[in-house]
Amino acid sequence: MRGRELVVVLDFGSQYSQLIARRVRECKVYCEIHPFDISVEALRRMRPKGVILSGGPANVYQEGAPICDKRVFELGVPILGICYGMQLMAYLLGGEVEPADKREYGPAQLIVDRPSPLFEGVPRESRVWMSHGDRIAVPPPGFEVVAHTANSPIAAMADEDRKFYGLQFHPEVKHTEFGSKIISNFLFKICGCSPTWDAASFVKRAIEEIRRRVGDERVLCAVSGGVDSTTLAALIHRAIGDRLICIFVDTGLLRLNEAEEVRRNFEKLGIKLHFVDASQRFLEKLKGVTDPEMKRKIIGEEFIAVFADEVKKFGRIRFLAQGTLYPDVIESVSVKGPSATIKTHHNVGGLPDVMPFELIEPFRELFKDEVRAVGRELGIPPEILGRHPFPGPGLAIRVIGEVTKERLDVLRQADAIFIEEIKRAGLYDEIWQAFAVLLPVKSVGVMGDERTYENVVALRAVTSTDGMTADWARIPYDVLARISNRIINEVKGVNRVVYDISSKPPSTIEWE
Ligand code: XMP
């Protein structure tokens, strides 16, 4: 991916580093996040048009504080320091940082005191978002104070000659009224970038890159039918055609008609799919197992085993394509760096650990919604791009207790009715995830004149932006009533439906 304009964010551990990158991308400028201690040589080789120093929880004088190489300031490119990034800039360039009298957290009124290209189009007074303990006492030589707030006499500083800028507040968060304007000023008026990064240019470059790397070899890809793997397959297929080998494993833990739908979708996209029905194998392995983590472990291992068996049929394949997304990359960067957020990923995984593939990960630089944009660009139908996330272990973690074919079938029918009604009510797209859960309890009911003693189905629907936090969806009562009625009438073996009204945290989205 050479020959494009790049802005680098150096990550000092801020929870907002991803957001900075995102705002830059929204301006159609390509952006990468790297750990703060990346070597200057590596940075120079990337030839960035600008560097942004993120915020972070440390203070510059504390022992072990993340400090970047001072030569970053000798790259000859504009630098924007945000919060800790600004303090570090002051510290390394000869200014003074001091603890503020009190921590400043939340909104503040910014007053711009002198003109600067960074604040072009930003009114003299505007609302900004603060979150810091320390502040600048004396700016480094060459810098001038550009703006202040009531609690931060130096809320923005600039050395217009060297094009170094520091902001005490966070322009990347939405609460900063003109934050996007400030970031776009930095990119366009200061770094001289042009807004050329979009899905079409991404696809064009990615295809060139894939062709260059793969030559006339073949690429293997495990597809689930979800947004990421379908888009990945479509992209690689466009690059190398039928030298892409897609394997789809039916684990028997999929939703009603799902395997068939995936097969049809790939047919429509013109991509050959090697379909493996391994449902018996998975069910065998899951017999008698009730512990959720045990289920995950078994399914993960079995998946690898099935995949390995299948791959043998194709002879030696050099490359494996994976739909790793940007947040995954950042998280692995942050594991090494100072960020505290580490999430376990349970995606159909571990393949590269046990098989000697070279990885192709064209989405390493994208966020989920950017993958959707790429998918649209590649002509993938909106129904696929808008699909709710579905966990790797599938319905096994939604049949609470032992997983059997019979219980899976009951769940599948209830789940299909739930989704159908949510779609009919026009609610599907505003819900992050909706699904049914089969509980391991039975309840008493009455149907006609008969007493029944049957299964309970729980409905779970949540709104969320990233799956990390979530709230239960306020589905209208009449829609819930219709769903409950239909499930109890149409699904044999269910006589009670309940709606889950827990948020995450403290609950999780899935029940297991
Ligand atoms: P929780 O239940 O942790 O789920 O709130 C957050 C998101 O992750 C999905 N999830 C999984 N995805 N393998 C996956 O591929 C798993 O084992 C797994 N567990 C949860 C869940 O569906 C939700 O989108």
Side-chain angles (χ1 to χ4, degrees):
M1 296 260 167
R2 297 275 162 249
R4 74 187 146 191
E5 292 178 351
L6 164 72
V7 166
V8 170
V9 174
L10 290 189
D11 179 14
F12 292 91
S14 168
Q15 51 177 328
Y16 296 134
S17 298
Q18 294 190 38
L19 263 186
I20 301 174
R22 210 192 152 80
R23 296 286 168 257
V24 174
R25 304 284 197 77
E26 280 169 1
C27 292
K28 296 185 185 295
V29 173
Y30 178 60
C31 176
E32 281 178 10
I33 299 185
H34 289 278
F36 69 90
D37 55 358
I38 184 175
S39 76
V40 184
E41 292 69 32
L43 211 48
R44 188 170 287 125
R45 275 196 300 275
M46 293 177 198
R47 287 190 282 121
K49 297 275 284 186
V51 173
I52 300 179
L53 313 177
S54 85
N59 67 61
V60 289
Y61 293 115
Q62 96 191 36
E63 209 181 306
I67 308 258
C68 62
D69 191 319
K70 200 177 162 188
R71 287 172 299 167
V72 169
F73 294 95
E74 292 160 18
L75 286 171
V77 300
I79 298 182
L80 174 66
I82 295 174
C83 198
Y84 176 85
M86 174 205 214
Q87 291 152 15
L88 186 68
M89 182 181 261
Y91 173 75
L92 289 175
L93 298 179
E96 266 175 48
V97 180
E98 63 176 11
D101 304 336
K102 55 180 193 257
R103 258 192 81 79
E104 199 182 1
Y105 181 83
Q109 201 66 9
L110 182 80
I111 298 163
V112 180
D113 300 308
R114 57 162 58 232
S116 165
L118 194 61
F119 288 101
E120 247 181 69
V122 178
R124 199 178 112 75
E125 285 199 32
S126 67
R127 197 185 61 244
V128 296
W129 189 260
M130 289 287 190
S131 172
H132 65 102
D134 294 355
R135 65 183 189 191
I136 311 292
V138 182
F143 279 78
E144 280 171 328
V145 180
V146 180
H148 72 276
T149 67
N151 278 322
S152 296
I154 309 177
M157 63 178 194
D159 177 337
E160 304 284 1
D161 290 339
R162 287 186 289 176
K163 299 194 176 176
F164 293 161
Y165 298 85
L167 301 175
Q168 186 62 81
F169 59 92
H170 290 272
E172 68 277 21
V173 306
K174 283 285 180 212
H175 310 288
T176 294
E177 226 177 333
F178 290 89
S180 294
K181 182 74 193 147
I182 293 169
I183 288 174
S184 83
N185 283 342
F186 178 69
L187 299 172
F188 301 129
K189 299 207 184 321
I190 295 165
C191 299
C193 295
S194 42
T196 51
W197 195 95
D198 61 10
S201 69
F202 171 85
V203 167
K204 188 166 163 284
R205 287 201 187 105
I207 286 176
E208 284 165 11
E209 172 80 11
I210 292 164
R211 285 187 181 144
R212 192 185 57 73
R213 258 194 86 191
V214 174
D216 44 21
E217 303 263 351
R218 291 177 301 168
V219 178
L220 196 61
C221 181
V223 300
S224 68
V227 179
D228 303 340
S229 67
T230 307
T231 306
L232 179 68
L235 177 70
I236 298 184
H237 187 259
R238 188 163 298 182
I240 61 165
D242 285 343
R243 280 183 291 121
L244 167 69
I245 298 182
C246 288
I247 297 186
F248 175 84
V249 178
D250 181 355
T251 56
L253 305 168
L254 303 175
R255 289 161 291 189
L256 193 68
N257 301 328
E258 184 167 7
E260 208 29 60
E261 271 164 30
V262 174
R263 210 201 281 251
R264 259 204 317 271
N265 285 337
F266 270 68
E267 212 170 274
K268 274 192 232 152
L269 290 168
I271 304 172
K272 218 157 62 200
L273 195 62
H274 294 274
F275 191 94
V276 190
D277 179 358
S279 40
Q280 279 311 325
R281 279 178 73 161
F282 281 89
L283 279 180
E284 274 303 310
K285 285 270 155 59
L286 286 168
K287 217 175 239 171
V289 179
T290 54
D291 177 71
E293 284 311 304
M294 198 50 140
K295 287 181 184 173
R296 282 195 170 83
K297 189 167 171 289
I298 291 171
I299 293 165
E301 287 171 2
E302 195 54 21
F303 188 90
I304 291 174
V306 170
F307 195 78
D309 285 351
E310 212 53 36
V311 170
K312 278 191 205 124
K313 300 180 184 161
F314 294 96
R316 169 97 187 94
I317 297 181
R318 188 164 148 205
F319 295 100
L320 175 74
Q322 282 206 321
T324 319
L325 301 197
Y326 201 46
D328 311 336
V329 178
I330 294 162
E331 265 155 25
S332 39
V333 166
S334 298
V335 172
K336 284 183 258 135
S339 277
T341 41
I342 301 165
K343 188 176 68 185
T344 22
H345 285 275
H346 345 249
N347 266 333
V348 187
L351 288 177
D353 297 338
V354 287
M355 285 177 230
F357 291 116
E358 289 175 39
L359 288 185
I360 294 188
E361 299 177 302
F363 301 155
R364 277 179 74 83
E365 17 183 89
L366 304 189
F367 287 98
K368 188 89 177 179
D369 55 337
E370 292 172 324
V371 172
R372 289 206 171 94
V374 168
R376 269 195 300 278
E377 181 66 31
L378 290 164
I380 295 173
E383 317 78 89
I384 301 181
L385 296 178
R387 265 169 54 136
H388 289 171
F390 186 64
L395 300 184
I397 55 167
R398 295 179 180 170
V399 168
I400 313 300
E402 190 183 356
V403 183
T404 62
K405 170 89 170 49
E406 293 67 37
R407 292 181 67 74
L408 284 166
D409 283 338
V410 170
L411 178 62
R412 270 192 266 267
Q413 290 177 54
D415 188 73
I417 292 172
F418 186 22
I419 298 301
E420 189 184 317
E421 288 298 336
I422 277 180
K423 282 188 174 160
R424 186 176 296 169
L427 299 170
Y428 187 83
D429 290 341
E430 58 193 69
I431 288 172
W432 166 266
Q433 230 170 337
F435 53 89
V437 181
L438 186 63
L439 305 190
V441 287
K442 291 207 162 187
S443 86
V444 173
V446 51
M447 266 193 206
D449 295 327
E450 299 279 329
R451 173 189 192 270
T452 60
Y453 187 54
E454 287 177 331
N455 289 299
V456 182
V457 162
L459 304 177
R460 179 74 163 144
V462 297
T463 53
S464 174
T465 48
D466 53 11
M468 302 291 284
T469 61
D471 196 5
W472 57 280
R474 285 5 180 216
I475 298 179
Y477 283 169
D478 56 335
V479 179
L480 285 173
R482 201 159 46 243
I483 295 164
S484 158
N485 257 332
R486 279 197 59 197
I487 292 177
I488 293 171
N489 284 322
E490 295 174 34
V491 184
K492 215 163 155 275
V494 176
N495 69 357
R496 190 174 298 269
V497 171
V498 297
Y499 188 54
D500 180 349
I501 51 168
S502 333
S503 63
K504 173 183 179 176
S507 299
T508 53
I509 297 177
E510 304 287 347
W511 277 44
E512 286 198 333

